[in-house]
Amino acid sequence: MIHGDADGTASVTAPDTLFAPERDAHPDDIYDYYARFREAAPTARGQEGWAGGDPALVLLRHADVHASLRDSRLGKEWRHLAPPGEPPHEPEPKSFGDVARHFMLFRDPPDHTRLRSTANMAFTPRHVTNMREPIANLASRLVAGLRERDEPADLIASFAYPLPVLVIAGILGVPEEDFPRFRDWAAVIAAAIDLPVTGLAAFVQRADQTSSELVDYLSWIVAQRRADPRDDLISSLIAAETAEGKIDEHELIATLILLLVAGHETTVNLIGNGTLALLRHPDQWRALVDDPSLARNATEELLRYDSPVQMTTRLAFEDMEVAGMPIRRGTEVFFVLGSANRDPRAFEAPDTLDIRRNVGRIMSFGMGIHFCLGAPLARLEGEIAFQTLAREAPDLCLATGTPRWRAGLILRGLHDLPVTIAR
């Protein structure tokens, strides 16, 4: 159980204490909450019903997260747990469930391998390297827009959001005039990938409606590219579908939706969370301003310090032992990436932000076969974003002491981040 100490803080009294950050922790205190669990025992137990069976097993220590994410007995697809001979559940056409079952994020080999290898054509090292100059030019234009504001500006809406969404939409070949629609769509789909805490019925209805709109929109774009191929990822994926048979129509649309959302949602959070951390640590911000070449290492440290993805999940496909705990087939396992990144067994003084740190092996992009496909692009966008802010907005300051966090267990990001730039 969670009990209150005399000073009003929560303490862990047993390894089987219910892990429920959505109920018991404020976003500003989330790492203290993780630490109490992490230091009490190697594992914790999640709420019953998360997986429809045994309480979830929660891993918080770096070594356990790193090792278990590579265990092939832990996977993503619920269908592997269906009784033999039972027909698979077929969601309604164009519902979120119908779309999501084709996401590579929720697939295991061999389907995951096939879908990932097809989508990976957009994220090869050469392709990502060639994007440095266009991304840098875009970042400079966005910062110039920030500097023109007389009143506090929202860094999320004016910089952290448009930078990655313009990049990923350009990679895919989506018309620029449609970009404003993506934020609303992406927010709903990202929340659906996360764990809704309240209002489930209304949430499902909204996610289904958004999925239907996205499927219709992207089907229209795909039809255009079939008739008139261009030098963009949508045309390349169509070629893979028709010539190589690597991906079918449903998988094509689902992959485009996932890339649109995952291609910018986590990077928005990286830039927003990272800028907040830097401005809350003036010595670190000043170090970056004095030497913008630190931006690449600073990006790694900011990914570690306040990861845009806090958790990921797997399912046990057999009775097994994880981090010394026996679990039954069907048990859901939660990997708390944010906790692993603050584990003192893996990082010296983990709660200290140090952009000169030799960061080491962070868990922010996961591990194993589901390691984030877009990690190289996200790292590049983060590096350029922080470097550009340091060079072109050295007098950047927070305009609020209480930024608003979005609700969620898996994704961690800000609603907005009011800032000012001295003229």
Side-chain angles (χ1 to χ4, degrees), residues 13-145:
T13 59
D16 289 331
T17 299
L18 180 67
F19 181 81
E22 77 284 4
R23 185 193 69 190
D24 297 326
H26 186 275
D28 278 333
D29 302 322
I30 191 66
Y31 294 106
D32 290 337
Y33 182 82
Y34 293 161
R36 291 193 289 271
F37 277 85
R38 187 179 60 238
E39 300 313 310
T43 63
R45 285 293 182 181
Q47 188 171 349
E48 291 185 22
W50 281 3
D54 287 353
L57 180 69
V58 182
L59 304 183
L60 296 110
R61 296 184 179 179
H62 186 281
D64 295 330
V65 169
H66 178 264
S68 298
L69 277 174
R70 303 169 70 92
D71 193 325
S72 61
R73 297 172 298 172
L74 297 170
K76 287 282 192 177
E77 294 189 60
W78 289 90
R79 65 184 178 87
H80 292 313
L81 301 174
E86 180 177 303
H89 170 67
E90 295 292 337
E92 292 297 319
K94 296 198 291 188
S95 68
F96 174 73
D98 180 61
V99 171
R101 70 193 180 103
H102 296 293
F103 286 166
M104 71 182 79
L105 184 66
F106 301 134
R107 304 287 283 275
D108 293 316
D111 289 334
H112 172 269
T113 307
R114 171 176 55 83
L115 294 172
R116 185 181 176 101
S117 65
T118 304
N120 191 54
M121 64 181 70
F123 302 102
T124 63
R126 176 182 296 180
H127 190 81
V128 170
T129 299
N130 289 342
M131 297 183 67
R132 177 177 287 275
E133 184 175 352
I135 294 173
N137 292 337
L138 173 58
S140 290
R141 292 200 303 273
L142 293 172
V143 171

Side-chain angles (χ1 to χ4, degrees), residues 27 156 194 265-266 268-270 272-273 276 306-310 403-408 410-416:
I156 304 300
D194 207 329
E265 181 70 21
T266 54
V268 174
N269 295 346
L270 165 60
N273 299 0
L276 175 63
D306 197 3
S307 177
V309 179
Q310 290 286 297
R404 297 185 303 152
W405 293 95
R406 302 205 314 256
I410 290 178
L411 302 176
R412 176 172 167 84
L414 295 158
H415 275 290
D416 48 40

Side-chain angles (χ1 to χ4, degrees), residues 19-311:
F19 181 81
E22 77 284 4
R23 185 193 69 190
D24 297 326
H26 186 275
D28 278 333
D29 302 322
I30 191 66
Y31 294 106
D32 290 337
Y33 182 82
Y34 293 161
R36 291 193 289 271
F37 277 85
R38 187 179 60 238
E39 300 313 310
T43 63
R45 285 293 182 181
Q47 188 171 349
E48 291 185 22
W50 281 3
D54 287 353
L57 180 69
V58 182
L59 304 183
L60 296 110
R61 296 184 179 179
H62 186 281
D64 295 330
V65 169
H66 178 264
S68 298
L69 277 174
R70 303 169 70 92
D71 193 325
S72 61
R73 297 172 298 172
L74 297 170
K76 287 282 192 177
E77 294 189 60
W78 289 90
R79 65 184 178 87
H80 292 313
L81 301 174
E86 180 177 303
H89 170 67
E90 295 292 337
E92 292 297 319
K94 296 198 291 188
S95 68
F96 174 73
D98 180 61
V99 171
R101 70 193 180 103
H102 296 293
F103 286 166
M104 71 182 79
L105 184 66
F106 301 134
R107 304 287 283 275
D108 293 316
D111 289 334
H112 172 269
T113 307
R114 171 176 55 83
L115 294 172
R116 185 181 176 101
S117 65
T118 304
N120 191 54
M121 64 181 70
F123 302 102
T124 63
R126 176 182 296 180
H127 190 81
V128 170
T129 299
N130 289 342
M131 297 183 67
R132 177 177 287 275
E133 184 175 352
I135 294 173
N137 292 337
L138 173 58
S140 290
R141 292 200 303 273
L142 293 172
V143 171
L146 278 174
R147 296 193 65 89
E148 293 172 359
R149 303 284 293 270
D150 291 325
E151 69 281 354
D154 177 10
L155 187 91
I156 304 300
S158 301
F159 183 74
Y161 171 74
L163 179 65
V165 79
L166 286 167
V167 170
I168 193 62
I171 291 172
L172 291 172
V174 173
E176 187 169 347
E177 60 268 24
D178 293 330
F179 290 175
R181 305 165 68 182
F182 291 142
R183 182 162 200 180
D184 292 337
W185 281 338
V188 175
I189 299 300
I193 293 172
D194 207 329
L195 295 175
V197 176
T198 59
L200 184 58
F203 173 87
V204 169
Q205 183 177 15
R206 188 179 178 202
D208 285 348
Q209 176 62 34
T210 298
S211 296
S212 179
E213 292 172 5
L214 265 171
V215 168
D216 289 342
Y217 173 79
L218 289 169
S219 296
W220 172 69
I221 295 287
V222 166
Q224 287 189 323
R225 293 297 186 274
R226 289 191 194 282
D228 182 21
R230 300 182 187 177
D231 183 20
D232 57 37
L233 183 59
I234 292 178
S235 298
S236 297
L237 290 174
I238 291 171
E241 174 197 17
T242 56
E244 302 176 36
K246 287 186 176 181
I247 187 170
D248 65 28
E249 179 80 10
H250 294 294
E251 292 170 336
L252 171 62
I253 298 298
T255 297
L256 293 176
I257 292 174
L258 182 62
L259 290 176
L260 272 173
V261 176
H264 79 272
E265 181 70 21
T266 54
T267 309
V268 174
N269 295 346
L270 165 60
I271 297 170
N273 299 0
T275 303
L276 175 63
L278 286 168
L279 296 182
R280 281 179 164 176
H281 296 81
D283 62 321
Q284 299 300 299
W285 173 244
R286 185 51 51 188
L288 184 61
V289 168
D290 291 344
D291 184 4
S293 69
L294 290 171
R296 178 176 296 183
N297 199 73
T299 300
E300 290 300 296
E301 171 67 347
L302 293 165
L303 282 164
R304 182 200 69 81
Y305 185 79
D306 197 3
S307 177
V309 179
Q310 290 286 297
M311 298 188 198

